Structure formats: C-alpha cells, structure tokens
Amino acid sequence: MPKLEEIVQQLEETGYRNTASRREVIAAVLSQRGHFAIDDICQQVRWAGRATVFRTMKLLQDTSVVCRVLLENGNLHYRLSSIGHHHHLVCVECGGVQDMEDCVVAEMLTRLANQTSYAIEGHWLEFYGRCGDCRVAKPELQAV
Amino acid sequence: MPKLEEIVQQLEETGYRNTASRREVIAAVLSQRGHFAIDDICQQVRWAGRATVFRTMKLLQDTSVVCRVLLENGNLHYRLSSIGHHHHLVCVECGGVQDMEDCVVAEMLTRLANQTSYAIEGHWLEFYGRCGDCRVAKPELQAV
DNA sequence: GTGTTTATTGAGACGAAGTATCAGTTAGTT
DNA sequence: AACTAACTGATACTTCGTCTCAATAAACAC
C-alpha cells in the first residue's frame, strides 16, 4: 500500500511540484477501496477543482500510481495499480479488484500470434464475477 | 453480409414496426466498414433524429445485428456482429475487426476458475494490432 | 378506405465525463 | 525578496447518451 508522501516524493523527483491540491487528490485516491470513478474523488476533495482532479488523475496514470479499470457497462473507473498489470478480475458485488496472472495473458498472445496474421500491440482484458468472500456471504446468488 | 430487408423483417417478426427512420439508420449501419461510432451514423442519416439513431442502435444490439467494440482509448464503437462472438482483434491501421476464436476464451475461463475463487459472470476482451494486409502494406511500421 | 390504438418519432432539455482556455496564484530556485 | 515556470480553478465547451413529451404514423380491425 503506497503512502501519500512516497507518491509525492516520487512526483517531485520526476519534476512535478508538490502542491496542496495535488496532495489532496492523491490522499482521496489512497482512501479508496476497490475501483472508483473520478467523480468519487471530485466529491471527496474540498478545495481542489474538477479540472485539477482530472489533471492529477492523468498524472497518476502516467506514473502508474493508478490504472484504468473497465466496468462491464463500458464505464471507465480507476484503481491503485500494482506494477505492470492491467488485467483485472472485478467483483460485481463488493467492487474489489484482483490482478490476473500475466502468464495467462502471455499464453493467449502466443496463441493469437500463431492463429492470425495480426501483430498484436495492445489489449483490454477485464473479467467480472463474484469474489470468494462475496460468494461465501451470499451463496444464494451463486452463478449457474 | 446481412441485407436491410432481412433485418427489417426480423424486427417485424419480433413485434417491432417497420419505419422509414429505422430503415435509414439500419442502411447507414450496413454501409459501414470495420468499426464505427454512433456519431458516424448520426452524420450519415438525413431525417432520422439523434435520439432515434441511439434507440435503433440499442435495438440492433439487443437483436445481435451489431455489437459493441471497445477501442484502445476506452471509447465504445460498434460493428456488424457475427453470431455469438464478442471478442475482437481490431486493426489500428484500417479499423478492420476480426472475431477471436471462442475456444481461446473458454480455456482462459477454465484456467481462471481453477486459479481463483471468483465465479466469473462476464468479461471484456479486445485486442489491438495491425492486420496482415496492413502489415504487408506498411512493413516499416512492424511491431517490435 | 376510415378509424383506432399504440409504437415510434424528433426536438430539445438534461446529465455525466472529459477537454480547452486563461487570468491569477504559488512552489521552487536564485 | 524576486523571479519564473508550473500549477490552479472557474468556466465554457464537447461528446456521448438519456429523458420527456407532444406530434406522427404503423398496423390492424372494420
């Protein structure tokens, strides 16, 4: 779990300034559980304006502090990111997000390379379901 | 390649009316190559209003005439759909869209079921690259 | 054909998500 | 303390999509 000061310091080292608004947005992001919308952050901050929230979120994306999560309905949300991953298992019950093993993706890419004439350069990969905890909590909703 | 009249007839059989606006929107959709935005359709039609275009597109989705394609930047586009597929290989050069083998997806789901405690209920799966034709046309842009 | 019913239409207001502009502010440097 | 470039926030704007509502027109019965 990254800390506010660590992130701010990392940004400073990259040449970005340490401002009150930025710290406020980052703190709001760090307080989130699972995935969240930018609007959740906008509502949580007091001083920082909407434009600054959007700008800071883009900054955090570029520096891999957060990454985008695609929801089932096509909406884009965000989450604190682990390094190098952007394939998710999203719990539709609690909003929790789990990383997917990279090796599963790698194998898929190999297979596509063999079966098609495409040179694959990028992908979106998101799975939706109910996590172990939620399945235990409400077993009656078990998927068929 | 489905024909306008076939689609209209299929809609009629399902209880939907055969109207001029609907036919115009469907004709515009059928004239598309690769993936397209709803806005492309709005600009192509003459009489049909924006709301009608959106309503008809939803109708075409529900009846599996078109399906959504997620672009790399998170935008949603549409394409004429094959039956049962909604996993795509999208060419970033020409906008062409190719279906992905369902078996690849099935194996992935099996693997996820074994490796995690999630009950998978849905997914998004889109790959981006350059198709064979475009690679031949511009080999200097070959992916690394 | 005429009439009736109901789905459908289009204009336009609305909302969410995100970008662009720009004058004013402030962090970091000297 | 002064300077300067980075940053801010208010606001206007765009895009994508939904909602409302009075007007229209299919489809069907007669």
Side-chain angles (χ1 to χ4, degrees), chain A residues 119-143:
Chain A
I120 307 289
E121 296 166 5
H123 60 266
W124 267 108
L125 209 47
E126 309 276 359
F127 287 83
Y128 309 95
R130 303 178 63 247
C131 69
D133 290 349
C134 289
R135 291 171 75 183
V136 171
K138 294 191 185 177
E140 75 279 8
L141 291 178
Q142 210 64 264

PDB file of all heavy atoms in Angstrom, chain A residues 119-143:
ATOM      1  N   ALA A 119      -0.353  -8.424 -35.864  1.00  0.00           N
ATOM      2  CA  ALA A 119       0.739  -8.104 -34.943  1.00  0.00           C
ATOM      3  C   ALA A 119       0.088  -7.390 -33.764  1.00  0.00           C
ATOM      4  O   ALA A 119      -0.311  -6.237 -33.877  1.00  0.00           O
ATOM      5  CB  ALA A 119       1.756  -7.206 -35.617  1.00  0.00           C
ATOM      6  N   ILE A 120      -0.055  -8.092 -32.667  1.00  0.00           N
ATOM      7  CA  ILE A 120      -0.780  -7.546 -31.512  1.00  0.00           C
ATOM      8  C   ILE A 120       0.067  -6.490 -30.807  1.00  0.00           C
ATOM      9  O   ILE A 120       1.233  -6.703 -30.534  1.00  0.00           O
ATOM     10  CB  ILE A 120      -1.130  -8.660 -30.512  1.00  0.00           C
ATOM     11  CG1 ILE A 120      -1.858  -9.808 -31.204  1.00  0.00           C
ATOM     12  CG2 ILE A 120      -1.946  -8.099 -29.359  1.00  0.00           C
ATOM     13  CD1 ILE A 120      -3.245  -9.501 -31.622  1.00  0.00           C
ATOM     14  N   GLU A 121      -0.571  -5.344 -30.547  1.00  0.00           N
ATOM     15  CA  GLU A 121       0.176  -4.252 -29.916  1.00  0.00           C
ATOM     16  C   GLU A 121      -0.450  -3.796 -28.605  1.00  0.00           C
ATOM     17  O   GLU A 121       0.157  -3.037 -27.857  1.00  0.00           O
ATOM     18  CB  GLU A 121       0.240  -3.064 -30.877  1.00  0.00           C
ATOM     19  CG  GLU A 121       1.018  -3.371 -32.159  1.00  0.00           C
ATOM     20  CD  GLU A 121       0.789  -2.335 -33.244  1.00  0.00           C
ATOM     21  OE1 GLU A 121       0.103  -1.327 -32.974  1.00  0.00           O
ATOM     22  OE2 GLU A 121       1.279  -2.541 -34.369  1.00  0.00           O
ATOM     23  N   GLY A 122      -1.660  -4.218 -28.363  1.00  0.00           N
ATOM     24  CA  GLY A 122      -2.305  -3.776 -27.130  1.00  0.00           C
ATOM     25  C   GLY A 122      -3.574  -4.568 -26.882  1.00  0.00           C
ATOM     26  O   GLY A 122      -4.027  -5.318 -27.748  1.00  0.00           O
ATOM     27  N   HIS A 123      -4.152  -4.435 -25.707  1.00  0.00           N
ATOM     28  CA  HIS A 123      -5.394  -5.164 -25.424  1.00  0.00           C
ATOM     29  C   HIS A 123      -6.110  -4.622 -24.196  1.00  0.00           C
ATOM     30  O   HIS A 123      -5.518  -3.921 -23.376  1.00  0.00           O
ATOM     31  CB  HIS A 123      -5.091  -6.645 -25.220  1.00  0.00           C
ATOM     32  CG  HIS A 123      -4.150  -6.907 -24.092  1.00  0.00           C
ATOM     33  ND1 HIS A 123      -2.803  -7.034 -24.291  1.00  0.00           N
ATOM     34  CD2 HIS A 123      -4.355  -7.030 -22.763  1.00  0.00           C
ATOM     35  CE1 HIS A 123      -2.208  -7.240 -23.128  1.00  0.00           C
ATOM     36  NE2 HIS A 123      -3.120  -7.231 -22.182  1.00  0.00           N
ATOM     37  N   TRP A 124      -7.368  -4.944 -24.134  1.00  0.00           N
ATOM     38  CA  TRP A 124      -8.172  -4.714 -22.935  1.00  0.00           C
ATOM     39  C   TRP A 124      -8.610  -6.087 -22.465  1.00  0.00           C
ATOM     40  O   TRP A 124      -9.026  -6.923 -23.285  1.00  0.00           O
ATOM     41  CB  TRP A 124      -9.441  -3.930 -23.260  1.00  0.00           C
ATOM     42  CG  TRP A 124      -9.343  -2.466 -23.119  1.00  0.00           C
ATOM     43  CD1 TRP A 124      -9.314  -1.565 -24.140  1.00  0.00           C
ATOM     44  CD2 TRP A 124      -9.318  -1.702 -21.911  1.00  0.00           C
ATOM     45  NE1 TRP A 124      -9.263  -0.293 -23.652  1.00  0.00           N
ATOM     46  CE2 TRP A 124      -9.261  -0.348 -22.280  1.00  0.00           C
ATOM     47  CE3 TRP A 124      -9.335  -2.026 -20.547  1.00  0.00           C
ATOM     48  CZ2 TRP A 124      -9.224   0.685 -21.349  1.00  0.00           C
ATOM     49  CZ3 TRP A 124      -9.291  -1.001 -19.623  1.00  0.00           C
ATOM     50  CH2 TRP A 124      -9.239   0.340 -20.022  1.00  0.00           C
ATOM     51  N   LEU A 125      -8.572  -6.313 -21.187  1.00  0.00           N
ATOM     52  CA  LEU A 125      -8.890  -7.626 -20.664  1.00  0.00           C
ATOM     53  C   LEU A 125      -9.468  -7.444 -19.276  1.00  0.00           C
ATOM     54  O   LEU A 125      -8.749  -7.091 -18.343  1.00  0.00           O
ATOM     55  CB  LEU A 125      -7.590  -8.419 -20.599  1.00  0.00           C
ATOM     56  CG  LEU A 125      -7.588  -9.913 -20.735  1.00  0.00           C
ATOM     57  CD1 LEU A 125      -8.434 -10.350 -21.913  1.00  0.00           C
ATOM     58  CD2 LEU A 125      -6.160 -10.382 -20.934  1.00  0.00           C
ATOM     59  N   GLU A 126     -10.777  -7.623 -19.139  1.00  0.00           N
ATOM     60  CA  GLU A 126     -11.400  -7.450 -17.832  1.00  0.00           C
ATOM     61  C   GLU A 126     -12.421  -8.557 -17.633  1.00  0.00           C
ATOM     62  O   GLU A 126     -13.188  -8.875 -18.539  1.00  0.00           O
ATOM     63  CB  GLU A 126     -12.125  -6.093 -17.743  1.00  0.00           C
ATOM     64  CG  GLU A 126     -11.300  -4.881 -18.150  1.00  0.00           C
ATOM     65  CD  GLU A 126     -10.414  -4.339 -17.035  1.00  0.00           C
ATOM     66  OE1 GLU A 126     -10.447  -4.904 -15.922  1.00  0.00           O
ATOM     67  OE2 GLU A 126      -9.697  -3.361 -17.280  1.00  0.00           O
ATOM     68  N   PHE A 127     -12.399  -9.143 -16.465  1.00  0.00           N
ATOM     69  CA  PHE A 127     -13.368 -10.182 -16.143  1.00  0.00           C
ATOM     70  C   PHE A 127     -14.213  -9.753 -14.952  1.00  0.00           C
ATOM     71  O   PHE A 127     -13.735  -9.079 -14.046  1.00  0.00           O
ATOM     72  CB  PHE A 127     -12.653 -11.503 -15.824  1.00  0.00           C
ATOM     73  CG  PHE A 127     -12.076 -12.159 -17.046  1.00  0.00           C
ATOM     74  CD1 PHE A 127     -10.842 -11.771 -17.533  1.00  0.00           C
ATOM     75  CD2 PHE A 127     -12.786 -13.142 -17.714  1.00  0.00           C
ATOM     76  CE1 PHE A 127     -10.312 -12.355 -18.679  1.00  0.00           C
ATOM     77  CE2 PHE A 127     -12.264 -13.734 -18.852  1.00  0.00           C
ATOM     78  CZ  PHE A 127     -11.028 -13.347 -19.336  1.00  0.00           C
ATOM     79  N   TYR A 128     -15.482 -10.143 -14.988  1.00  0.00           N
ATOM     80  CA  TYR A 128     -16.411  -9.750 -13.924  1.00  0.00           C
ATOM     81  C   TYR A 128     -16.996 -10.987 -13.277  1.00  0.00           C
ATOM     82  O   TYR A 128     -17.303 -11.967 -13.965  1.00  0.00           O
ATOM     83  CB  TYR A 128     -17.522  -8.877 -14.498  1.00  0.00           C
ATOM     84  CG  TYR A 128     -16.950  -7.756 -15.307  1.00  0.00           C
ATOM     85  CD1 TYR A 128     -16.819  -7.870 -16.686  1.00  0.00           C
ATOM     86  CD2 TYR A 128     -16.456  -6.618 -14.690  1.00  0.00           C
ATOM     87  CE1 TYR A 128     -16.218  -6.868 -17.427  1.00  0.00           C
ATOM     88  CE2 TYR A 128     -15.860  -5.607 -15.424  1.00  0.00           C
ATOM     89  CZ  TYR A 128     -15.747  -5.732 -16.789  1.00  0.00           C
ATOM     90  OH  TYR A 128     -15.139  -4.747 -17.522  1.00  0.00           O
ATOM     91  N   GLY A 129     -17.177 -10.919 -11.981  1.00  0.00           N
ATOM     92  CA  GLY A 129     -17.758 -12.059 -11.289  1.00  0.00           C
ATOM     93  C   GLY A 129     -17.920 -11.742  -9.824  1.00  0.00           C
ATOM     94  O   GLY A 129     -17.980 -10.567  -9.450  1.00  0.00           O
ATOM     95  N   ARG A 130     -18.012 -12.763  -9.015  1.00  0.00           N
ATOM     96  CA  ARG A 130     -18.172 -12.542  -7.587  1.00  0.00           C
ATOM     97  C   ARG A 130     -17.004 -13.230  -6.880  1.00  0.00           C
ATOM     98  O   ARG A 130     -16.745 -14.407  -7.102  1.00  0.00           O
ATOM     99  CB  ARG A 130     -19.527 -13.085  -7.123  1.00  0.00           C
ATOM    100  CG  ARG A 130     -20.669 -12.416  -7.929  1.00  0.00           C
ATOM    101  CD  ARG A 130     -22.048 -12.921  -7.561  1.00  0.00           C
ATOM    102  NE  ARG A 130     -22.368 -12.611  -6.197  1.00  0.00           N
ATOM    103  CZ  ARG A 130     -22.507 -13.512  -5.246  1.00  0.00           C
ATOM    104  NH1 ARG A 130     -22.379 -14.788  -5.515  1.00  0.00           N
ATOM    105  NH2 ARG A 130     -22.795 -13.151  -4.022  1.00  0.00           N
ATOM    106  N   CYS A 131     -16.343 -12.449  -6.031  1.00  0.00           N
ATOM    107  CA  CYS A 131     -15.136 -12.967  -5.397  1.00  0.00           C
ATOM    108  C   CYS A 131     -15.490 -13.996  -4.324  1.00  0.00           C
ATOM    109  O   CYS A 131     -16.645 -14.123  -3.925  1.00  0.00           O
ATOM    110  CB  CYS A 131     -14.326 -11.822  -4.784  1.00  0.00           C
ATOM    111  SG  CYS A 131     -15.094 -11.059  -3.348  1.00  0.00           S
ATOM    112  N   GLY A 132     -14.479 -14.716  -3.864  1.00  0.00           N
ATOM    113  CA  GLY A 132     -14.683 -15.778  -2.880  1.00  0.00           C
ATOM    114  C   GLY A 132     -15.442 -15.312  -1.656  1.00  0.00           C
ATOM    115  O   GLY A 132     -16.404 -15.961  -1.225  1.00  0.00           O
ATOM    116  N   ASP A 133     -15.064 -14.156  -1.102  1.00  0.00           N
ATOM    117  CA  ASP A 133     -15.711 -13.648   0.099  1.00  0.00           C
ATOM    118  C   ASP A 133     -17.193 -13.397  -0.123  1.00  0.00           C
ATOM    119  O   ASP A 133     -18.031 -13.751   0.701  1.00  0.00           O
ATOM    120  CB  ASP A 133     -15.039 -12.341   0.552  1.00  0.00           C
ATOM    121  CG  ASP A 133     -13.637 -12.596   1.085  1.00  0.00           C
ATOM    122  OD1 ASP A 133     -13.299 -13.780   1.298  1.00  0.00           O
ATOM    123  OD2 ASP A 133     -12.894 -11.625   1.260  1.00  0.00           O
ATOM    124  N   CYS A 134     -17.511 -12.767  -1.251  1.00  0.00           N
ATOM    125  CA  CYS A 134     -18.914 -12.439  -1.534  1.00  0.00           C
ATOM    126  C   CYS A 134     -19.722 -13.709  -1.806  1.00  0.00           C
ATOM    127  O   CYS A 134     -20.914 -13.763  -1.507  1.00  0.00           O
ATOM    128  CB  CYS A 134     -19.009 -11.476  -2.711  1.00  0.00           C
ATOM    129  SG  CYS A 134     -18.427  -9.811  -2.309  1.00  0.00           S
ATOM    130  N   ARG A 135     -19.093 -14.715  -2.382  1.00  0.00           N
ATOM    131  CA  ARG A 135     -19.802 -15.967  -2.642  1.00  0.00           C
ATOM    132  C   ARG A 135     -20.149 -16.651  -1.331  1.00  0.00           C
ATOM    133  O   ARG A 135     -21.211 -17.252  -1.190  1.00  0.00           O
ATOM    134  CB  ARG A 135     -18.939 -16.895  -3.498  1.00  0.00           C
ATOM    135  CG  ARG A 135     -18.750 -16.401  -4.903  1.00  0.00           C
ATOM    136  CD  ARG A 135     -17.728 -17.210  -5.645  1.00  0.00           C
ATOM    137  NE  ARG A 135     -18.250 -18.499  -6.036  1.00  0.00           N
ATOM    138  CZ  ARG A 135     -17.535 -19.431  -6.650  1.00  0.00           C
ATOM    139  NH1 ARG A 135     -16.268 -19.198  -6.910  1.00  0.00           N
ATOM    140  NH2 ARG A 135     -18.074 -20.560  -6.979  1.00  0.00           N
ATOM    141  N   VAL A 136     -19.237 -16.563  -0.363  1.00  0.00           N
ATOM    142  CA  VAL A 136     -19.499 -17.145   0.957  1.00  0.00           C
ATOM    143  C   VAL A 136     -20.608 -16.368   1.665  1.00  0.00           C
ATOM    144  O   VAL A 136     -21.515 -16.933   2.263  1.00  0.00           O
ATOM    145  CB  VAL A 136     -18.212 -17.124   1.819  1.00  0.00           C
ATOM    146  CG1 VAL A 136     -18.531 -17.526   3.249  1.00  0.00           C
ATOM    147  CG2 VAL A 136     -17.172 -18.042   1.209  1.00  0.00           C
ATOM    148  N   ALA A 137     -20.546 -15.021   1.513  1.00  0.00           N
ATOM    149  CA  ALA A 137     -21.506 -14.169   2.217  1.00  0.00           C
ATOM    150  C   ALA A 137     -22.923 -14.338   1.682  1.00  0.00           C
ATOM    151  O   ALA A 137     -23.894 -14.288   2.435  1.00  0.00           O
ATOM    152  CB  ALA A 137     -21.069 -12.710   2.096  1.00  0.00           C
ATOM    153  N   LYS A 138     -23.048 -14.530   0.377  1.00  0.00           N
ATOM    154  CA  LYS A 138     -24.385 -14.666  -0.227  1.00  0.00           C
ATOM    155  C   LYS A 138     -24.406 -15.833  -1.197  1.00  0.00           C
ATOM    156  O   LYS A 138     -24.503 -15.629  -2.420  1.00  0.00           O
ATOM    157  CB  LYS A 138     -24.770 -13.389  -0.967  1.00  0.00           C
ATOM    158  CG  LYS A 138     -24.969 -12.171  -0.072  1.00  0.00           C
ATOM    159  CD  LYS A 138     -25.606 -11.055  -0.875  1.00  0.00           C
ATOM    160  CE  LYS A 138     -25.726  -9.766  -0.098  1.00  0.00           C
ATOM    161  NZ  LYS A 138     -26.271  -8.667  -0.892  1.00  0.00           N
ATOM    162  N   PRO A 139     -24.331 -17.039  -0.685  1.00  0.00           N
ATOM    163  CA  PRO A 139     -24.252 -18.201  -1.576  1.00  0.00           C
ATOM    164  C   PRO A 139     -25.490 -18.383  -2.449  1.00  0.00           C
ATOM    165  O   PRO A 139     -25.422 -19.022  -3.495  1.00  0.00           O
ATOM    166  CB  PRO A 139     -24.085 -19.374  -0.600  1.00  0.00           C
ATOM    167  CG  PRO A 139     -24.559 -18.872   0.716  1.00  0.00           C
ATOM    168  CD  PRO A 139     -24.310 -17.409   0.731  1.00  0.00           C
ATOM    169  N   GLU A 140     -26.626 -17.785  -2.040  1.00  0.00           N
ATOM    170  CA  GLU A 140     -27.843 -17.970  -2.828  1.00  0.00           C
ATOM    171  C   GLU A 140     -27.749 -17.321  -4.204  1.00  0.00           C
ATOM    172  O   GLU A 140     -28.520 -17.655  -5.103  1.00  0.00           O
ATOM    173  CB  GLU A 140     -29.070 -17.438  -2.064  1.00  0.00           C
ATOM    174  CG  GLU A 140     -29.195 -15.915  -2.026  1.00  0.00           C
ATOM    175  CD  GLU A 140     -28.319 -15.285  -0.958  1.00  0.00           C
ATOM    176  OE1 GLU A 140     -27.503 -16.023  -0.362  1.00  0.00           O
ATOM    177  OE2 GLU A 140     -28.445 -14.078  -0.728  1.00  0.00           O
ATOM    178  N   LEU A 141     -26.808 -16.420  -4.360  1.00  0.00           N
ATOM    179  CA  LEU A 141     -26.662 -15.755  -5.653  1.00  0.00           C
ATOM    180  C   LEU A 141     -25.643 -16.464  -6.549  1.00  0.00           C
ATOM    181  O   LEU A 141     -25.198 -15.912  -7.543  1.00  0.00           O
ATOM    182  CB  LEU A 141     -26.213 -14.305  -5.459  1.00  0.00           C
ATOM    183  CG  LEU A 141     -27.231 -13.366  -4.830  1.00  0.00           C
ATOM    184  CD1 LEU A 141     -26.638 -11.984  -4.655  1.00  0.00           C
ATOM    185  CD2 LEU A 141     -28.494 -13.305  -5.674  1.00  0.00           C
ATOM    186  N   GLN A 142     -25.281 -17.666  -6.136  1.00  0.00           N
ATOM    187  CA  GLN A 142     -24.270 -18.412  -6.889  1.00  0.00           C
ATOM    188  C   GLN A 142     -24.540 -18.391  -8.390  1.00  0.00           C
ATOM    189  O   GLN A 142     -25.681 -18.578  -8.818  1.00  0.00           O
ATOM    190  CB  GLN A 142     -24.277 -19.873  -6.407  1.00  0.00           C
ATOM    191  CG  GLN A 142     -22.931 -20.546  -6.524  1.00  0.00           C
ATOM    192  CD  GLN A 142     -21.888 -19.893  -5.625  1.00  0.00           C
ATOM    193  OE1 GLN A 142     -21.142 -19.057  -6.089  1.00  0.00           O
ATOM    194  NE2 GLN A 142     -21.858 -20.252  -4.352  1.00  0.00           N
ATOM    195  N   ALA A 143     -23.487 -18.151  -9.145  1.00  0.00           N
ATOM    196  CA  ALA A 143     -23.641 -18.181 -10.608  1.00  0.00           C
ATOM    197  C   ALA A 143     -23.935 -19.602 -11.059  1.00  0.00           C
ATOM    198  O   ALA A 143     -23.477 -20.553 -10.445  1.00  0.00           O
ATOM    199  CB  ALA A 143     -22.347 -17.687 -11.258  1.00  0.00           C
TER     200      ALA A 143
END
